Amino acid sequence: MSLPSSSPQAAIIGGGPAGLIAAEALARSGLAVTVYDRMPSVGRKFMMAGRGGLNLTHSEDFERFVTRYAEAEPVLRPLIEAFRPKDLRAWCEGLGEATFVGSSGRVFPKAFKASPLLRAWLTRLEDLSVRFALRHTWQGWDAEGALVFTDAAGQTVTTKPDATILALGGASWPRLGSDGSWVSMLQGKGIAVAPLRPANMGFTLPWSEVMRSRFEGEPLKRIALAFEGVTVKGEAIITADGIEGGAVYALSRSLRNAIERQGSAKLLLDLRPDLSLDALEKRLSLPRKGQSASTFLRKAAGLSPLGIATLRESAPQLPVEPEALARLIKAVPLTLTGTKSLGRAISTAGGVPFSELDEHLMLRRMPGVFVAGEMLDWEAPTGGYLLQATFATGIAAAKGVLSFLKIPDAALTSNPSSVTRHP
Ligand SMILES: Cc1cc2nc3c(=O)[nH]c(=O)nc-3n(C[C@H](O)[C@H](O)[C@H](O)COP(=O)(O)OP(=O)(O)OC[C@H]3O[C@@H](n4cnc5c(N)ncnc54)[C@H](O)[C@@H]3O)c2cc1C
């Protein structure tokens, strides 16, 4: 499909899910859209998310869903109301990828990966005449306000579109394209940026040499972690210098904030969350019959070698008295001393604060420039909340562009033929 040459021009910088969904919405409304990305292909982090099954969104009650965005809930709520989890599922299904709700309530495409969805999406975008300028690294604006890129040949490329959407992502996994280099470009324009910090990440913890050499990469399964009155059941993985995994990520926001406040955080590990303290104490009251402490803990308390080693890390002299031992097994104290780096985190906290944006996600200081996705200052746990807000803010920014350019909004449908043309 070709567009009239007089169509309004939109530049989208960043070909992650926020940029691509914005491109789709704008192209449907008849804009000539170019997606710029520094990488040789778009959607690399989306593909990486697909390795874990591509948890697109969550099926829980909407009122509970929006609380996951904590302080950002008031600003994100109307945007997610306009593109709800059910809309994201319908969009995915419109691309031929059925979705299902997993046992935890998380929503995934049935293919349990990103590649078929991304392939179908890119075909749709091509049908909508979206242009892709790959290997184009954004460098900021020139003195005339034009966008400046460096292309693969090192040449400078400039363009002055009618509207721009910045969808450059956070700064985790920089090898996938998003490295947060946009921060200084926006700050140079007088725009405040909240410091980028790791979110959904691991923590450092000074393990002994024995622990490191024997158990690095091993999972602590069916455990519970507790911090500041919140308990999360799941799994954690021992790393050379700390701990990571689903249950850790779920508490990572409050753990990170506590470490920032006081230098460390005490995480409590329950090695037998399925047993009450009383039941565990009873088991530990059985006669030891000359068994070594490890054999006794394995047989009476059902602890794995890793569970026993973790217990010993916190208390080299294990209590003999059954009640004290049971209490320790149900609350092993782990002192976390720092966060793993932003580069290794699942997502990024911080970014462009909503106070710099109007309700259409347009920069107040730069009319015609919109911001979407993970570069905005919000964070959320894993569970599909990251992609849901990424998509919803991409759609909101695209609607903002349409309202800025006074172009009617052709609602997102699964039918790419429903495109408005602007003569
Ligand atoms: C391992 C992993 C697993 C994940 N799993 C899930 C999951 O299951 N569910 C979920 O909800 N979320 C998941 N996420 C998070 C999710 O992938 C991100 O929140 C989402 O990709 C953010 O989308 P975005 O479009 O804002 O940014 P990105 O996807 O980061 O895209 C930004 C794009 O901008 C480009 N770019 C950056 N700087 C420049 C520049 N200067 N010039 C040109 N281009 C530039 C990048 O190349 C990139 O293509 C996961 C993340 C990771 C790392």
Side-chain angles (χ1 to χ4, degrees):
M1 190 200 80
S2 65
L3 290 164
S5 56
S6 58
S7 293
Q9 313 275 320
I12 295 180
I13 315 180
L20 295 180
I21 197 70
E24 178 173 348
L26 291 181
R28 280 187 190 291
S29 294
L31 271 76
V33 180
T34 305
V35 175
Y36 296 86
D37 202 292
R38 59 151 32 119
M39 301 302 281
S41 62
V42 293
R44 293 201 170 198
K45 193 173 279 181
F46 191 63
M47 288 291 285
M48 176 60 83
R51 287 211 197 162
L54 195 68
N55 180 192
L56 276 175
T57 185
H58 203 287
S59 63
E60 70 194 351
D61 170 66
F62 188 77
E63 288 305 314
R64 186 161 173 72
F65 186 98
V66 287
T67 62
R68 308 296 185 177
Y69 299 98
E71 289 97 343
E73 179 193 333
V75 268
L76 287 179
R77 174 189 278 269
L79 313 186
I80 298 175
E81 271 169 356
F83 194 74
R84 288 175 176 253
K86 71 173 171 45
D87 300 319
L88 181 49
R89 291 184 69 179
W91 169 86
C92 185
E93 284 165 14
L95 281 167
E97 292 301 314
T99 61
F100 74 98
V101 179
S103 55
S104 58
R106 296 174 182 218
V107 176
F108 301 88
K110 277 200 173 138
F112 212 57
K113 55 184 178 179
S115 45
L117 178 63
L118 184 60
R119 229 182 355 259
W121 196 4
L122 294 179
T123 303
R124 174 184 284 177
L125 292 176
E126 273 161 31
D127 290 348
L128 287 166
S129 299
V130 172
R131 235 189 102 232
F132 288 90
L134 302 176
R135 297 190 170 91
H136 277 61
T137 302
W138 183 50
Q139 307 290 358
W141 291 270
D142 68 12
E144 277 71 52
L147 297 167
V148 180
F149 298 88
T150 310
D151 71 9
Q155 301 292 316
T156 299
V157 176
T158 60
T159 178
K160 211 166 176 184
D162 298 299
T164 300
I165 296 180
L166 305 178
L168 296 140
S172 72
W173 290 67
R175 68 181 170 83
L176 303 176
S178 320
D179 64 357
S181 54
W182 51 266
V183 171
S184 55
M185 297 179 215
L186 294 194
Q187 285 172 334
K189 290 286 179 186
I191 295 156
V193 180
L196 304 188
R197 299 185 295 161
N200 297 302
M201 69 298 187
F203 290 85
T204 55
L205 172 58
W207 297 123
S208 68
E209 183 49 40
V210 175
M211 188 76 174
R212 258 199 305 273
S213 59
R214 279 196 59 200
F215 296 107
E216 183 186 349
E218 294 279 316
L220 280 162
K221 291 190 172 168
R222 293 179 293 282
I223 48 115
L225 295 175
F227 186 66
E228 290 181 342
V230 180
T231 301
V232 178
K233 284 189 177 176
E235 191 171 306
I237 295 160
I238 305 300
T239 62
D241 61 349
I243 190 160
E244 62 184 28
V248 179
Y249 301 155
L251 294 170
S252 60
R253 185 170 188 270
S254 48
L255 289 167
R256 179 198 64 209
N257 293 346
I259 291 170
E260 282 173 1
R261 269 194 322 270
Q262 64 218 24
S264 66
K266 194 161 84 178
L267 181 64
L268 296 178
L269 161 68
D270 185 346
L271 290 166
R272 287 305 309 261
D274 51 327
L275 285 182
S276 69
L277 185 65
D278 278 357
L280 188 56
E281 189 188 334
K282 264 196 202 106
R283 288 178 174 219
L284 294 170
S285 303
L286 296 171
R288 294 199 177 200
K289 292 183 197 152
Q291 296 174 101
S292 70
S294 294
T295 307
F296 178 66
L297 285 169
R298 184 166 52 79
K299 290 194 172 162
L303 299 189
S304 65
L306 172 55
I308 296 166
T310 314
L311 200 61
R312 287 191 191 283
E313 289 283 302
S314 78
Q317 287 295 317
L318 292 177
V320 182
E321 204 263 313
E323 192 204 339
L325 186 54
R327 279 193 192 284
L328 183 64
I329 291 172
K330 292 207 54 78
V332 185
L334 300 176
T335 303
L336 308 183
T337 52
T339 57
K340 288 286 184 69
S341 70
L342 175 54
R344 293 277 316 275
I346 301 278
S347 59
T348 305
V352 181
F354 288 96
S355 55
E356 290 285 354
L357 304 159
D358 71 7
E359 74 278 18
H360 295 300
L361 303 184
M362 184 169 81
L363 287 169
R364 294 181 197 281
R365 292 168 210 266
M366 301 192 75
V369 180
F370 297 75
V371 185
E374 212 180 295
M375 65 184 290
L376 291 166
D377 184 13
W378 57 271
E379 65 176 305
T382 58
Y385 308 103
L386 299 166
L387 283 173
Q388 181 67 48
T390 293
F391 274 86
T393 55
I395 295 276
K399 284 179 189 283
V401 167
L402 297 177
S403 130
F404 176 72
L405 298 176
K406 300 189 173 46
I407 292 171
D409 176 2
L412 267 189
T413 69
S414 58
N415 177 3
S417 61
S418 64
V419 177
T420 312
R421 289 184 173 78
H422 297 279

